[in-house]
Amino acid sequence: MSTSETLVPLEQVVIKFAGDSGDGMQLTGTQFTNTAALFGNDLGTFPDFPAEIRAPQGTTAGVSGYQLHFGSTEIYTPGDMCDVLVVMNAAALKMNLKQLKRGGIIIANIAGFDAKNLRLANVESNQLEDHSLDGYEVYKVDVTKLTRDAIADLTLGTKEKDRCKNMFVLGFLYWMFDRDMQTSINFLNEKFSKKAEILEANLRVLKAGYAYGETTETFSTRFKVEKAKMPAGKYRNIMGNQALALGIVAASHQSGLPVFLGSYPITPASDVLHELAKYKNFNIRTFQAEDEIAGICSAIGASFGGQIGLTTTSGPGMALKTEAMGLAVMLEVPLVICNIQRAGPSTGMPTKTEQADLLQAYYGRNGECPIPVIAAQSPSDCFRAAFEACKIAVQHMTPVILLSDGYIANGAEPWRYPATNQLEKIEKKFAAPSAHGEKFMPYARDEKLSRPWAVPGTKGLEHRIGGLEKQNITGNISYDAANHEQMVKLREEKVEKIADYLPEQKIDSGKDSGKVLVLGWGGTYGALKAAVKECIAEGMDVSHAHIRYIKPFPKNLEALMKRFDKVLIPEINNGQLIRIIRDRYLIPAIPFNKIQGVPFMKGELIEKIKEVYNTK
């Protein structure tokens, strides 16, 4: 650091990278995130993908973003407002300026503000020149020209050279935040190990960006964010879909059962298929089916055959899988259905997040068709949620629906991963032929009301399968009215009995009783926790609880809620958990709903909590 530079310490920073889909902002954000995680910062991220796959370059529809919140304190969200906004063109500035704090830093690639880009972004004047940004600290950098200059002697074409400009931005930010480039250097060496000239170009531009910060006189301030004080252990940076896949692998290992994934690609669930395909050495088999129905039916076959059957999808795929889910309920086999939720209905907004499939998971099948439902609450928590889903499926002989969402699936945070000896065993129990030659009864039930798991091909365990109603105990086809009612009641009772084996609902923040309970589920966890902690710090009598087990609910949930004067339920939908809570417990819970394809901000939650708190 030169003597003229100032190194300013900060507790936390929010950076937003934004540009055209081809500008590499996701990669830039991911690389900075990995470096921050390895340095020891706590962090939260929010990748923001354009809804259109091939939107015209330079238009607002094609803007891609990546928000990173990192610090030396506990981080629960990707942040509300940005401290630093990096924009590669006029459209990116137009779409993201409202998220920048007044007085915040704008780093703009001036090549993206020419007449063509202004026209494509549908803006009347160049904001870098018309004084409309006077309330911000604006740094205009010709990233495109500086990138080309750094690799002028290479034989790459102009388009290939311009693809490196995100590395210039990354290098400059490493300088600005006093970070080592080595993690990204290692990444580039691995990624382009067989493409020497492309590797050389990216390395040169990365270093040029860092050198630009050191040599230009425009920037006199750098920032330092120290390591976070986190529990000791081994950490890695992990995204939600990666954690979910690893949770499945861990469940396979701890149960001694192979996993078969039958799946059809769909945003934002496809990465689970990609991740699990890497773990063939852990007895994981993956099958990319021709459609959603084939995916779940192949997984049901694996479950019937003595494996953990798994299928992954999003809301539209769940709609297609419903008849097969009913078959799995009728067969009572261990099947895990992962729904990585996105904005709907129909195709909706495929790249945007939502919590709108809860009622679908709860009720969305024909007939009386109960399935346990659990929900992950953060990227790293997807590991535990997936493990739990497999455990419930195997030990209670039932399909299980695991809900994640686009926000936590693509978001990232540090994860202290457990050693194998820290994970409980998942006990499996296969049926065996009677020692006394008695006929096998496929629907005889144990203390959990679970039927025996009979692996096909085992002599003496022959039994009928199919979607027609089964006679109790024998499993024969039955059209008897009283038997049908009995079986409906038994299947429901079996699912509700799972609550006897679940942990009680706990308060996450605050006291066990009080004035307001903020009750959440799924990916709202981080924002709710951060908002409630701030309200508590201001002296408010507020608590936060987050539900993992939604069907069945923990046995103490009703008693817990009734210890509070008011219950506020924020959801990224039009009010779904609140309907179930009101119906089940007759509690006049208060809704707070957001349906914009983006997660809650801490500030808007605090405002709502205070409104409810101060209302008589």
Side-chain angles (χ1 to χ4, degrees):
M1 188 174 73
S2 69
T3 54
S4 61
E5 291 174 9
T6 303
L7 192 61
V8 178
L10 296 173
E11 274 197 349
Q12 52 188 306
V13 176
V14 180
I15 303 176
K16 179 72 177 281
F17 303 89
D20 204 73
S21 295
D23 286 335
M25 293 296 96
Q26 302 295 332
L27 178 61
T28 306
T30 301
Q31 282 301 301
F32 198 99
T33 296
N34 290 341
T35 297
L38 287 169
F39 178 78
N41 296 128
D42 198 4
L43 56 87
T45 71
F46 179 48
D48 185 15
F49 301 98
E52 295 186 34
I53 296 174
R54 293 176 183 244
Q57 285 190 335
T59 65
T60 54
V63 173
S64 178
Y66 188 102
Q67 187 163 312
L68 165 65
H69 185 191
F70 66 104
S72 58
T73 59
E74 284 187 290
I75 302 296
Y76 301 112
T77 74
D80 285 6
M81 302 293 284
C82 303
D83 301 291
V84 180
L85 176 61
V86 179
V87 292
M88 301 300 284
N89 59 22
L93 179 62
K94 179 180 179 179
M95 294 298 292
N96 291 283
L97 183 60
K98 61 183 178 294
Q99 293 178 248
L100 182 64
K101 293 176 182 175
R102 201 67 182 166
I105 295 172
I106 298 173
I107 301 170
N109 175 23
I110 60 175
F113 288 80
D114 59 13
K116 179 182 177 182
N117 275 284
L118 295 176
R119 175 175 54 79
L120 289 168
N122 197 25
V123 294
E124 295 181 0
S125 62
N126 186 348
Q127 286 186 279
L128 300 183
E129 308 294 344
D130 65 7
H131 299 287
S132 61
L133 302 177
D134 285 352
Y136 304 96
E137 195 172 342
V138 182
Y139 296 108
K140 295 177 278 189
V141 183
D142 197 340
V143 175
T144 302
K145 181 179 184 302
L146 291 166
T147 296
R148 292 174 182 174
D149 289 347
I151 52 178
D153 59 319
L154 298 182
T155 61
L156 297 173
T158 302
K159 284 187 177 181
E160 289 175 305
K161 289 179 179 179
D162 286 352
R163 288 196 190 104
C164 300
K165 61 181 181 286
N166 62 328
M167 288 296 108
F168 187 95
V169 171
L170 182 61
F172 174 72
L173 285 171
Y174 281 156
W175 172 84
M176 177 178 276
F177 288 96
D178 194 30
R179 292 299 160 91
D180 189 1
M181 293 184 288
Q182 193 59 48
T183 300
S184 291
I185 291 172
N186 294 343
F187 165 78
L188 291 170
N189 275 311
E190 182 177 349
K191 183 176 178 65
F192 299 116
S193 60
K194 297 179 181 179
K195 299 178 180 178
E197 195 168 31
I198 293 177
L199 172 61
E200 174 67 16
N202 279 279
L203 289 173
R204 272 205 223 172
V205 174
L206 177 70
K207 294 171 183 177
Y210 195 96
Y212 180 77
E214 284 187 317
T215 57
T216 185
E217 297 180 1
T218 307
F219 306 93
S220 58
T221 303
R222 301 172 74 187
F223 303 97
K224 182 72 173 179
V225 181
E226 295 294 346
K227 297 178 180 180
K229 295 178 181 178
M230 301 170 74
K234 292 184 177 180
Y235 287 81
R236 62 163 283 184
N237 186 46
I238 200 162
M239 297 169 67
N241 278 345
Q242 293 173 327
L244 193 151
L246 287 175
I248 298 292
V249 174
S252 173
H253 184 274
Q254 294 302 97
S255 65
L257 293 169
V259 167
F260 176 89
L261 169 64
S263 189
Y264 181 74
I266 184 172
T267 302
S270 300
D271 284 339
V272 181
L273 171 62
H274 302 157
E275 283 295 317
L276 282 172
K278 301 174 184 177
Y279 295 102
K280 294 175 183 175
N281 56 317
F282 284 96
N283 217 1
I284 309 293
R285 296 179 179 87
T286 55
F287 166 54
Q288 182 173 317
E290 64 268 30
D291 56 43
E292 295 281 4
I293 299 170
I296 187 172
C297 287
S298 63
I300 290 171
S303 297
F304 179 67
Q307 303 186 18
I308 298 175
L310 174 70
T311 191
T312 55
T313 191
S314 187
M318 286 287 283
L320 293 166
K321 293 180 190 290
T322 52
E323 184 180 1
M325 286 186 220
L327 174 61
V329 168
M330 185 67 78
L331 299 180
E332 300 188 42
V333 291
L335 173 73
V336 178
I337 305 136
C338 302
N339 179 3
I340 318 301
Q341 300 165 96
R342 70 189 201 188
S346 186
T347 308
M349 298 193 294
T351 62
K352 306 302 178 183
T353 194
E354 211 160 79
Q355 290 183 294
D357 295 347
L358 178 57
L359 293 180
Q360 181 190 43
Y362 217 84
Y363 300 115
R365 293 162 295 282
N366 68 294
E368 298 287 346
C369 192
I371 297 181
V373 179
I374 71 174
Q377 64 190 32
S378 70
S380 63
D381 183 61
C382 286
F383 174 87
R384 190 71 228 182
F387 188 91
E388 286 287 307
C390 293
K391 180 181 176 183
I392 291 171
V394 169
Q395 295 188 342
H396 296 269
M397 286 297 288
T398 178
V400 176
I401 294 174
L402 169 60
L403 295 177
S404 176
D405 61 55
Y407 166 50
I408 56 179
N410 294 315
E413 64 183 356
W415 175 48
R416 185 174 63 163
Y417 52 88
T420 304
N421 59 14
Q422 295 174 311
L423 295 172
E424 65 268 30
K425 289 288 184 182
I426 297 177
E427 299 297 333
K428 61 181 182 296
K429 189 163 59 175
F430 289 122
S434 169
H436 307 290
E438 297 170 353
K439 186 177 180 181
F440 175 60
M441 295 296 171
Y443 283 84
R445 300 180 184 275
D446 63 13
E447 71 281 359
K448 295 186 176 76
L449 297 182
S450 301
R451 82 174 188 91
W453 196 359
V455 177
T458 306
K459 187 175 180 180
L461 301 185
E462 297 84 0
H463 63 287
R464 184 186 299 274
I465 64 167
L468 292 172
E469 183 61 278
K470 304 294 183 288
Q471 185 181 58
N472 188 31
I473 310 297
T474 69
N476 295 330
I477 292 172
S478 173
Y479 293 99
D480 180 75
N483 177 79
H484 175 56
E485 181 168 308
Q486 181 184 19
M487 294 299 284
V488 166
K489 297 286 188 183
L490 274 172
R491 288 188 287 262
E492 180 67 30
E493 185 183 355
K494 181 180 81 166
V495 171
E496 288 301 314
K497 195 170 182 60
I498 293 170
D500 294 342
Y501 301 87
L502 299 179
E504 290 194 338
Q505 181 65 49
K506 290 184 170 56
I507 295 293
D508 191 272
S509 300
K511 298 183 295 184
D512 287 342
S513 62
K515 191 168 182 180
V516 176
L517 172 67
V518 181
L519 184 68
W521 70 278
T524 58
Y525 173 78
L528 296 186
K529 186 177 180 71
V532 169
K533 284 176 74 74
E534 189 162 319
C535 289
I536 292 171
E538 293 180 17
M540 297 171 64
D541 185 10
V542 180
S543 299
H544 167 222
H546 219 75
I547 302 174
R548 178 193 295 288
Y549 307 100
I550 302 178
K551 184 173 179 67
F553 286 124
K555 296 178 75 171
N556 69 323
L557 180 61
E558 180 179 13
L560 184 149
M561 289 189 293
K562 288 185 174 178
R563 294 200 296 266
F564 291 84
D565 297 338
K566 299 174 184 176
V567 177
L568 172 65
I569 302 182
E571 299 182 78
I572 308 293
N573 58 42
N574 205 29
Q576 299 198 11
L577 176 65
I578 194 168
R579 285 176 167 83
I580 300 169
I581 292 290
R582 285 172 172 173
D583 173 62
R584 182 74 180 265
Y585 301 117
L586 302 178
I587 288 175
I590 301 163
F592 182 42
N593 306 110
K594 183 174 183 176
I595 323 163
Q596 300 175 19
V598 294
F600 280 116
M601 293 192 292
K602 181 179 72 171
E604 62 190 355
L605 287 167
I606 291 173
E607 185 178 340
K608 183 64 178 182
I609 292 168
K610 289 181 176 179
E611 176 193 316
V612 171
Y613 190 84
N614 294 318
T615 301
K616 293 183 180 180

